[in-house]
Amino acid sequence: MIPHDPALLRRLHLAAYACTVVDAGHPLRRALYGDLMRHTARHAAMVAELAPLLQAWHDAGVSALLYKGMHLSAFVYPVVGTRFHGDVDILVSAVSVQRAVAIARELHWEVESLRTGERDHNAATLSRREGATAIDLHRWAVHRPSRDMSHARHITDAVWARATHALLGTAPVFVPDAVDALLVGLVLERTWGDRWMTKAHDPIDWMLLRDRDGVTREALMERAGELGCPRTLASFLARFDPDTGLPALAPPGRMTRAALELRTGLESGLPEA
């Protein structure tokens, strides 16, 4: 159910999407049409900036996987550019990070927060001076640095194994399988990465990913077993399940979060000392 308050929709970063799902003559569509134009123009500007970098990486043998917000905006939402996101999340293999950063520098991307440690989920932040795009370059598909990185390595390798080729503009890129986009990009991001805090667009992301490629509950649960996170998925769905009722968007209280962390801690990885 889309609220009919333009100011609220803008605060929730849902204005552009809402404009595309109301009837053509609805007052909300007129109120939000400028938001739609701005969001789609921003997306187009990002694609224009990203394409040469993605092409250069491809030519140098650096595979890049687009996931989370930009992936949804470009490949999942019915109207391209209407899923708001901030940074562009791109996954490269751990052994390709240094090469990817060097190529970005050659193409005049500014490199910030370069991290070379194996436990660092974010390898670097790349940005364009006076540009539209900032990239979070990742070496692992999941958060949670730990003593034993085997869980992050296993999940990341599994995501790569199911990823498929696509084009962002004219540039080659990989995108995650729909089940992985839902399980890793949404469920594990919100639980292991964001400590069980959800966002207003998460129910829409869930339903579009589910419906676009026919992701079944059985396939999601089977994949959770393969990736070693069935408790995390079950705990997430107990709070957030668009298929059976309204999801909990309010952040959990301290005691609830502690209980969730205890239940799923062995799956997310033993914390660093």
Side-chain angles (χ1 to χ4, degrees), residues 196-203 239-240 246-252:
W196 302 89
M197 294 181 64
T198 52
K199 298 183 179 180
H201 50 64
D202 288 347
R239 288 180 42 80
F240 177 102
L246 292 175
L249 294 177

Side-chain angles (χ1 to χ4, degrees), residues 242-273:
D243 294 336
T244 60
L246 292 175
L249 294 177
R254 182 172 59 87
M255 297 301 293
T256 300
R257 180 182 283 116
L260 291 166
E261 297 280 355
L262 182 64
R263 176 176 167 80
T264 62
L266 290 178
E267 294 182 350
S268 62
L270 296 173
E272 287 185 294

Side-chain angles (χ1 to χ4, degrees), residues 135-192:
I135 297 172
D136 270 350
L137 193 67
H138 302 288
R139 57 168 56 84
W140 306 118
V142 290
H143 290 263
R144 288 299 178 90
S146 61
R147 298 188 191 96
D148 179 3
M149 292 300 293
S150 60
H151 72 295
R153 187 176 292 106
H154 169 63
I155 292 172
T156 301
D157 289 347
V159 169
W160 274 113
R162 278 198 184 182
T164 57
H165 293 276
L167 290 176
L168 184 69
T170 59
V173 70
F174 283 89
V175 295
D177 170 80
V179 175
D180 287 346
L182 195 52
L183 179 60
V184 179
L186 199 164
V187 176
L188 298 189
E189 176 68 15
R190 294 291 176 253
T191 55
W192 299 358

Side-chain angles (χ1 to χ4, degrees), residues 107-119:
L107 295 180
H108 308 295
W109 287 76
E110 296 188 1
V111 179
E112 307 163 18
S113 306
L114 179 61
R115 304 176 183 91
T116 58
E118 183 189 43
R119 292 188 177 96

